C-alpha cells in the first residue's frame, strides 16, 4: 500500500498532562484526518523527540469509540444504557437541574470538577469562570502537585529553576524520583547529550529499577518514602568530608550551627538502615555530587507522592544549596517552571465575577466528599450535582470504591464532558462529546521547560463534538449569566489573556507557535539571592510561606513538621497484616488514564500486573504470570504477578492505570490507594500504600 501523502504539516503542541509540553509537527492528510505526528526539530527542548503514544496520535483522534453526540442515561446508573439527545435538550436539562438544585440546596451543592486532561488554559480552566459567577463550590487542586510544589518552594521561595536544556552542559545529572523515560522523555534527550558529549555521570534515584535507571551510571534503589533520609545523610557527608561550599551557604542560605548540629547524627549508617541502600552507595553519591560542581538535580513528582513527599522534595533540593551547584552552568536544580509564566488569567477564570466565598473542596477527597464525610465536606451540605471536564476520577482518584459509590449515587446529578466513554462517563446522567486539541484553539504551558506554546484548530471536529469553552459558555448563558466573557470565542480569550499578560499579540504567536519565557540565566539560578524576603535559601522551611494564598488549608499541625530538612517517618507503615508497600508508578504507553483506550498502548502494556521480588514470591509461592489479589482496608484489586529482581523485598510496583474493566472484578489500582491528604497542604499519596498480596481465589 502507498503511504498516505500529507497535504501539509502544521505546528501544534501536545495537550497532555506531561511536563514536556512538546512542540509537534502534525501531518494533515485531509481536512478531517491526520497522519504522522513528530516532535518539532526547531524547538530547543522538544528537539525532534516525542513519546511513542503521541507519535501514534492518529489512533486516538480517529478512534472509532470517540463520543460524537450528547447522551442521556436511559437505564440505571452505570448500566451503560444511554439515548442520544440534541445539544439543546442536553443543555436545557443541565441548566434546569442545576437551577433546581441551587434553589433547594444552595449553590455550594454544585461542584464543577476538572483537571489537566488538556493542559490548554482556555479549555482547562474556563470552568472556573462558570463556578465563580455562580458561587458554586470551589476545587482545591491537590491531585498532582499538592506536595511537590510546596516542597520545592520551601527551599527556593518560588517555583522555578535552571533551564532544563542546560542539563546538556552538566557534568552530573541527578534524576530523582521521576521515571523520565516513561513520563517526560525529553529529560533524557538533554541528560544523554551531557553523557555523550561531556562524559557526564547520570544518577537515577527510584524505588525500583526503571527504564530510566537502565541508562544510569549510578542507580540508587531505595525503600519508598525514605528520600529525606538519603538527602540528609548526603549533607552529613558533605559537611564531614569538607565538600560543602560554606562560602556559598554563608552568602545565600540560612545555614547555621543549629542545622549543622541537626545533621550530626544523620550518618550514612543511620540512612542505610532507613533507605535500604548500602553505606558505600550513599558515600559514593555524596562524593559524586560533592566533587562535581556542575551537578544538575532534576527533581520529579514521583517521590513526592508519599505522605512525607513535601519534606522529601525539600530535603533533596537542599543538596545543591549545600554544594553551591547553583553557581555553575549546567548545575543547580529544577522541578517545574510553573511559577514563571506571569499570566493574567483573571478574565479567563472569572476571578472578578466571584460570587460569595464558597467552600474549597479537596479534589483528591472526591470519594469521601461524595459519600458524605463531614470533614471532607467542610461541615457543609452534600454535593448534589457535578460537571466534570478533562478528568476521569472513577479511575484516577484514590479510594476508588468510595469514588464509584459516590458518583453512582441516585441523588447526584452527574454531567461528564468527555472524548471517550470513560469509567466516569459511564456513571453520568448526561454525557457530552468533547473536541480534541487539533479541533479547538488553545495555548499551553507545562512546567518542564521555558516556553508557552500555541495550538490551533487544524482539522474539522467529528460529529457534534464541542469544546470545553463552548460548553461552559453555552451553559452559563442558559443559567442566566450574561458577562461578556461568556460570549467569546476561544481565540478571543487567548488574545485577551496574552494582551493582559504583556505577551506578544496572538497573531504573532500564531506564526512562531510559542512565547519564549526563558529567564536570564542568573535569575534562574538565583544568583542575586533566592526568592524569600531575606534572599536566602531555607534549610529550615517556612511552610506557611509556600502556601497558595487564597485556597490553602493545613492538613497537619504545623508544629508537627520537622524544623529542618529531614526524614519524616509518617508513611503508611507495613504491618503484619499489610506487609508490603505498594507504589503505582506510571506506565510508558498510558498517560494517567488517557491512551488506555488506544490499541497500540494496550498492546504495549498488556494485562494489569504487579512486580514482586523473587524472594517474596518464593515465600508466598506466587509464580510469574499467576493471578494475585492485593488488598487493604480500602479494598482489593486483581492483577497478574510479574516476578522480577530490581526492587526491594517488601515492595510491590503496579505500573499504570489500566482500564478498570481490564482488571478481573472491574476494580482498578486506585481501589487500594489512600485519599488521606498529605502534609502540609494536601496532595495524593499514590505511591504510599500498605497492602497484602496473595494468590487470587
Ligand atoms: N507515560 C506516562 N507519562 C506521564 C504520565 C503517565 O501516567 N504515563 N503521567 C503524567 C503526569 S500527570 C505527571 S504529574 C508526570 C509525573 O511524572 P514523574 O515525575 O515521573 O512522577 P511519577 O510518575 O509519579 O513517578 C515517577 C517515579 O517515582 C517513583 N517513586 C515512587 N515513590 C518513590 C519514592 O519514595 N522515592 C523515589 N526516589 N521514587 C519514588 C516511581 O516508582 C516512579 O518510577 O508524568 C506525566 N507523564
Ligand atoms: N494510581 C495512580 N493514580 C494516579 C496517578 C498515579 O501516579 N498513580 N497519577 C495522578 C496524577 S499525577 C494525575 S495528574 C491524575 C490525572 O488524572 P486525569 O486528569 O483523569 O488524567 P488524564 O488521563 O490526563 O485526563 C483525563 C481525561 O481528560 C479527557 N480530556 C482530554 N482533553 C479533553 C478536553 O479537551 N475536553 C474534555 N472535556 N475532556 C478532555 C481525556 O479523554 C481523559 O479521559 O491522575 C492521578 N492518578
Ligand atoms: S505526552 Fe509528553 S513526551 Fe509525549 S508528546 Fe506529549 S508532551 Fe511530549
Ligand atoms: Mo499529574
Amino acid at each position: 500500500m502507498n503511504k498516505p501523502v500529507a497535504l501539509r504539516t502544521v505546528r501544534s503542541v501536545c495537550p497532555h498532562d506531561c511536563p514536556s509540553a512538546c512542540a509537534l509537527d502534525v501531518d494533515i492528510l485531509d481536512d478531517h484526518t491526520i497522519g504522522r505526528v513528530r516532535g518539532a526539530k526547531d524547538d530547543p527542548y522538544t528537539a525532534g523527540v516525542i513519546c511513542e503514544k503521541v507519535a501514534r496520535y492518529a489512533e486516538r483522534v480517529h478512534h472509532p469509540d470517540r463520543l460524537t453526540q450528547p447522551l442521556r442515561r436511559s437505564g440505571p446508573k452505570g448500566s451503560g444504557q444511554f439515548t442520544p439527545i440534541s445539544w439543546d435538550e442536553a443543555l436545557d436539562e443541565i441548566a434546569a437541574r442545576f437551577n433546581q438544585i441551587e434553589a433547594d440546596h444552595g449553590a455550594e451543592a454544585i461542584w464543577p470538577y476538572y483537571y489537566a486532561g488538556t493542559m490548554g488554559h482556555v479549555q482547562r480552566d474556563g470552568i472556573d469562570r462558570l463556578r465563580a459567577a455562580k458561587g458554586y463550590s470551589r476545587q482545591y487542586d491537590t491531585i498532582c502537585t499538592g506536595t511537590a510544589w510546596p516542597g520545592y518552594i520551601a527551599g527556593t521561595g518560588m517555583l522555578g529553576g535552571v533551564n532544563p536544556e542546560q542539563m546538556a552542559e552538566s557534568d552530573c545529572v541527578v534524576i530523582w524520583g521521576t521515571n523520565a523515560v516513561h513520563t517526560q522523555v525529553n529529560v533524557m534527550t538533554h541528560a544523554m547529550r551531557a553523557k555523550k558529549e561531556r562524559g557526564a555521570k547520570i544518577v537515577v534515584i527510584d524505588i525500583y529499577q526503571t527504564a530510566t535507571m537502565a541508562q544510569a551510571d549510578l542507580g540508587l534503589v531505595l525503600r519508598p518514602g525514605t528520600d529525606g533520609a538519603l538527602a540528609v545523610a548526603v549533607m552529613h557527608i558533605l559537611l564531614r568530608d569538607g565538600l560543602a561550599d560554606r562560602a556559598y551557604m554563608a552568602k545565600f542560605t540560612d545555614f547555621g550551627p543549629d542545622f549543622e548540629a541537626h545533621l550530626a547524627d544523620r550518618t550514612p549508617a543511620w540512612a542505610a538502615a532507613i533507605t535500604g541502600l548500602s553505606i558505600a552507595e550513599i558515600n559514593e553519591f555524596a562524593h559524586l555530587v560533592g566533587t562535581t560542581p556542575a551537578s544538575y538535580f532534576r527533581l520529579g513528582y514521583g517521590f513526592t507522592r508519599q505522605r512525607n513527599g513535601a519534606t522529601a522534595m525539600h530535603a533533596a533540593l537542599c543538596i545543591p544549596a549545600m554544594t553551591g551547584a547553583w553557581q555553575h552552568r549546567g548545575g543547580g536544580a529544577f522541578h517545574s517552571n510553573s511559577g514563571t509564566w506571569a499570566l493574567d488569567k483573571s478574565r479567563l477564570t472569572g476571578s472578578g465575577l466571584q460570587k460569595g466565598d464558597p467552600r474549597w473542596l479537596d479534589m483528591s477527597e472526591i470519594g469521601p466528599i461524595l459519600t458524605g464525610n463531614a470533614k471532607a465536606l467542610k461541615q457543609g451540605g452534600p454535593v448534589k450535582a457535578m460537571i466534570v471536564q478533562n478528568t476521569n476520577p472513577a479511575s484516577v482518584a484514590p479510594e476508588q470504591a468510595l469514588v464509584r459509590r459516590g458518583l453512582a449515587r441516585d441523588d447526584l446529578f452527574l454531567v461528564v464532558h468527555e472524548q471517550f466513554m470513560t469509567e466516569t462517563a459511564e456513571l453520568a446522567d448526561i454525557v457530552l462529546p468533547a473536541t480534541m486539541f487539533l479541533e479547538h484553539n488553545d495555548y499551553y504551558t507545562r512546567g518542564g521547560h521555558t516556553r508557552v506554546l500555541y495550538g490551533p484548530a487544524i482539522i474539522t471536529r467529528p460529529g457534534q463534538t464541542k469544546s470545553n469553552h463552548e460548553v461552559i459558555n453555552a451553559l452559563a448563558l442558559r443559567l442566566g449569566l450574561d458577562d461578556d466573557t461568556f460570549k467569546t470565542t476561544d481565540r478571543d480569550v487567548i488574545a485577551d489573556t496574552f494582551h493582559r499578560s504583556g505577551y506578544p499579540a496572538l497573531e504573532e504567536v500564531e506564526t512562531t507557535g510559542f512565547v519564549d519565557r526563558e529567564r536570564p540565566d542568573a535569575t534562574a539560578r538565583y544568583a542575586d539571592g533566592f526568592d524569600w524576603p531575606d534572599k536566602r535559601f531555607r534549610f529550615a522551611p517556612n511552610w506557611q510561606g509556600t502556601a497558595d494564598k487564597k485556597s490553602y488549608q493545613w492538613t497537619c499541625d504545623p508544629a508537627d513538621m520537622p524544623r529542618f530538612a529531614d526524614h519524616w517517618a509518617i508513611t503508611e507503615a507495613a504491618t503484619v497484616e499489610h506487609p508490603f508497600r505498594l507504589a503505582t508508578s506510571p506506565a510508558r504507553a498510558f498517560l494517567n488514564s488517557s491512551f488506555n483506550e488506544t490499541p497500540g498502548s494496550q498492546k504495549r502494556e498488556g494485562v494489569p500486573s504487579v512486580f514482586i521480588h523473587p524472594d517474596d514470591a518464593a515465600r508466598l509461592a506466587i509464580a510469574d504470570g499467576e493471578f494475585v489479589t492485593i488488598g487493604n482496608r480500602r479494598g482489593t484489586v486483581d492483577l497478574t504477578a510479574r516476578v522480577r529482581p530490581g526492587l526491594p523485598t517488601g515492595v510491590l510496583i503496579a505500573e499504570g492505570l489500566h482500564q478498570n474493566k481490564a482488571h478481573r472484578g472491574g476494580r482498578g489500582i486506585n481501589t487500594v490507594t489512600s485519599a488521606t491528604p498529605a502534609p502540609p497542604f494536601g496532595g495524593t499519596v499514590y505511591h504510599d500504600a500498605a497492602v497484602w498480596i496473595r494468590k487470587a481465589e
Side-chain angles (χ1 to χ4, degrees):
M1 203 177 87
N2 290 331
K3 273 211 176 125
V5 180
L7 200 63
R8 59 201 165 105
T9 302
V10 181
R11 179 57 53 88
S12 182
V13 43
C14 175
H16 288 283
D17 191 359
C18 165
S20 282
C22 291
L24 306 177
D25 285 325
V26 183
D27 282 355
I28 307 297
L29 303 185
D30 62 44
D31 290 348
H32 316 275
T33 320
I34 66 161
R36 285 182 57 194
V37 177
R38 276 156 289 141
K41 288 212 173 70
D42 59 0
D43 180 280
Y45 190 69
T46 306
V49 178
I50 56 167
C51 63
E52 294 160 22
K53 57 195 180 300
V54 170
R56 289 190 302 256
Y57 215 84
E59 276 189 9
R60 189 164 193 274
V61 75
H62 304 308
H63 198 296
D65 296 344
R66 267 194 73 177
L67 297 169
T68 55
Q69 55 190 339
L71 303 169
R72 180 198 280 130
R73 176 167 69 84
S74 53
K77 282 226 171 179
S79 63
Q81 293 166 36
F82 291 97
T83 311
I85 52 173
S86 70
W87 271 104
D88 278 336
E89 284 174 285
L91 292 167
D92 284 345
E93 180 164 340
I94 298 166
R97 292 292 299 268
F98 277 22
N99 278 334
Q100 191 61 52
I101 287 166
E102 182 177 345
D104 293 347
H105 305 275
E108 284 190 339
I110 298 164
W111 191 29
Y113 190 89
Y114 74 115
Y115 204 59
T118 172
M119 292 297 294
H121 289 207
V122 177
Q123 310 296 346
R124 185 188 66 193
D125 303 332
I127 193 170
D128 276 342
R129 193 164 68 248
L130 172 66
R131 182 201 311 275
K134 291 299 296 179
Y136 294 155
S137 276
R138 291 188 274 198
Q139 171 175 308
Y140 185 45
D141 281 350
T142 55
I143 207 157
C144 178
T145 62
T147 45
W149 287 7
Y152 189 92
I153 297 167
T156 57
M158 78 164 287
L159 192 60
V162 177
N163 187 341
E165 290 158 35
Q166 258 188 55
M167 278 185 290
E169 295 173 47
S170 172
D171 295 320
C172 173
V173 182
V174 181
I175 302 176
W176 195 322
T178 171
N179 185 358
V181 167
H182 287 196
T183 61
Q184 38 178 333
V185 62
N186 310 77
V187 167
M188 302 314 287
T189 308
H190 301 280
M192 296 319 277
R193 259 188 67 198
K195 184 178 163 110
K196 282 197 199 93
E197 291 172 13
R198 314 165 53 90
K201 292 276 182 290
I202 309 292
V203 183
V204 173
I205 305 173
D206 208 294
I207 56 175
Y208 72 116
Q209 267 171 24
T210 60
T212 306
M213 202 177 285
Q215 317 251 8
D217 299 286
L218 176 62
L220 300 177
V221 175
L222 42 60
R223 290 203 192 102
T226 65
D227 301 75
L230 172 61
V232 288
V234 165
M235 287 189 274
H236 170 101
I237 296 167
L238 294 172
L239 291 169
R240 185 193 68 190
D241 297 349
L243 299 171
D245 186 337
R246 287 182 182 267
Y248 181 81
M249 288 200 288
K251 190 160 173 217
F252 285 102
T253 76
D254 66 352
F255 184 79
D258 283 6
F259 183 50
E260 187 155 8
H262 162 81
L263 292 174
D265 59 359
R266 270 51 174 184
T267 62
W270 167 86
I274 295 170
T275 59
L277 296 167
S278 68
I279 294 174
E281 285 175 306
I282 300 170
N283 271 314
E284 184 184 354
F285 175 48
H287 276 255
L288 179 61
V289 297
T291 57
T292 315
S295 288
Y296 191 104
F297 285 73
R298 183 66 182 77
L299 305 170
Y301 286 95
F303 77 120
T304 72
R305 307 198 194 291
Q306 303 276 346
R307 283 170 179 73
N308 60 8
T311 56
M313 169 64 89
H314 171 252
L317 180 65
C318 286
I319 297 175
M322 184 169 280
T323 61
W326 289 99
Q327 298 163 102
H328 309 284
R329 261 195 92 82
F334 184 84
H335 169 61
S336 166
N337 263 343
S338 292
T340 69
W341 310 128
L343 280 157
D344 177 349
K345 290 165 56 174
S346 52
R347 299 247 311 158
L348 199 173
T349 59
S351 47
L353 305 175
Q354 182 62 50
K355 192 171 166 195
D357 184 18
R359 61 184 168 180
W360 292 90
L361 298 177
D362 179 350
M363 66 179 306
S364 299
E365 292 189 283
I366 179 174
I369 285 167
L370 293 183
T371 51
N373 179 307
K375 187 162 170 257
L377 281 163
K378 301 280 147 34
Q379 314 301 331
V383 170
K384 293 293 219 175
M386 294 179 78
I387 171 165
V388 179
Q389 286 183 322
N390 333 319
T391 182
N392 181 14
S395 165
V396 306
E399 297 203 29
Q400 187 176 100
L402 295 185
V403 179
R404 293 174 59 88
R405 181 145 54 87
L407 289 171
R409 263 171 39 202
D410 273 326
D411 67 332
L412 176 79
F413 178 65
L414 178 64
V415 180
V416 177
H417 185 198
E418 248 300 346
Q419 297 164 338
F420 290 99
M421 188 56 85
T422 58
E423 291 89 343
T424 308
E426 269 169 7
L427 294 168
D429 296 281
I430 304 265
V431 178
L432 304 172
T435 45
M436 282 189 188
F437 75 110
L438 299 167
E439 300 151 6
H440 54 236
N441 301 297
D442 215 333
Y443 75 90
Y444 300 81
T445 64
R446 193 46 168 115
H449 56 74
T450 59
R451 288 183 170 190
V452 177
L453 295 136
Y454 178 69
I458 52 182
I459 52 173
T460 51
R461 37 179 77 183
Q464 301 174 38
T465 51
K466 282 192 195 294
S467 73
N468 291 8
H469 178 75
E470 291 162 337
V471 168
I472 293 302
N473 279 0
L475 191 55
L477 297 177
R478 273 188 174 67
L479 287 163
L481 298 168
D482 74 347
D483 190 78
D484 284 349
T485 52
F486 295 114
K487 297 166 189 163
T488 54
T489 65
D490 48 16
R491 282 196 53 151
D492 296 338
V493 181
I494 299 167
D496 176 67
T497 305
F498 283 2
H499 177 69
R500 282 165 192 282
S501 311
Y503 277 33
L506 174 56
E507 290 70 24
E508 190 184 328
V509 180
E510 273 177 318
T511 60
T512 57
F514 66 91
V515 179
D516 203 340
R517 294 287 308 168
E518 183 181 4
R519 297 175 303 152
D521 189 43
T523 310
R525 57 181 63 262
Y526 303 99
D528 300 321
F530 287 87
D531 221 47
W532 292 105
D534 63 2
K535 300 274 179 197
R536 287 170 184 277
F537 181 95
R538 300 190 69 119
F539 292 112
N542 160 12
W543 291 105
Q544 180 74 56
T546 71
D548 174 354
K549 307 276 174 303
K550 61 184 189 312
S551 59
Y552 79 95
Q553 23 193 288
W554 280 96
T555 59
C556 67
D557 181 344
D560 289 345
M561 295 195 75
R563 179 171 163 220
F564 292 112
D566 208 353
H567 171 58
W568 193 17
I570 56 163
T571 52
E572 193 164 73
T575 59
V576 175
E577 202 191 340
H578 302 110
F580 286 87
R581 299 258 306 138
L582 171 77
T584 60
S585 310
R588 184 168 184 160
F590 300 154
L591 195 147
N592 307 321
S593 70
S594 297
F595 298 92
N596 71 13
E597 71 285 324
T598 54
S601 291
Q602 288 176 342
K603 186 158 168 243
R604 177 159 180 128
E605 296 303 337
V607 294
S609 43
V610 59
F611 301 150
I612 180 168
H613 190 279
D615 293 351
D616 289 327
R619 201 162 39 79
L620 297 170
I622 291 170
D624 188 57
E626 193 166 18
F627 254 131
V628 289
T629 304
I630 60 181
N632 55 25
R633 61 176 178 75
R634 297 181 281 269
T636 64
V637 52
D638 286 359
L639 312 99
T640 299
R642 295 276 171 236
V643 180
R644 51 165 269 184
L647 70 168
T649 54
V651 171
L652 302 173
I653 306 282
E655 283 187 349
L657 291 162
H658 292 257
Q659 292 185 340
N660 289 346
K661 66 178 183 229
H663 292 264
R664 203 173 69 167
R667 294 176 305 278
I669 193 67
N670 278 316
T671 309
V672 292
T673 57
S674 166
T676 303
F681 307 122
T684 316
V685 293
Y686 287 111
H687 306 326
D688 181 0
V691 296
W692 48 258
I693 180 168
R694 56 176 83 118
K695 291 180 193 237
E697 268 144 31

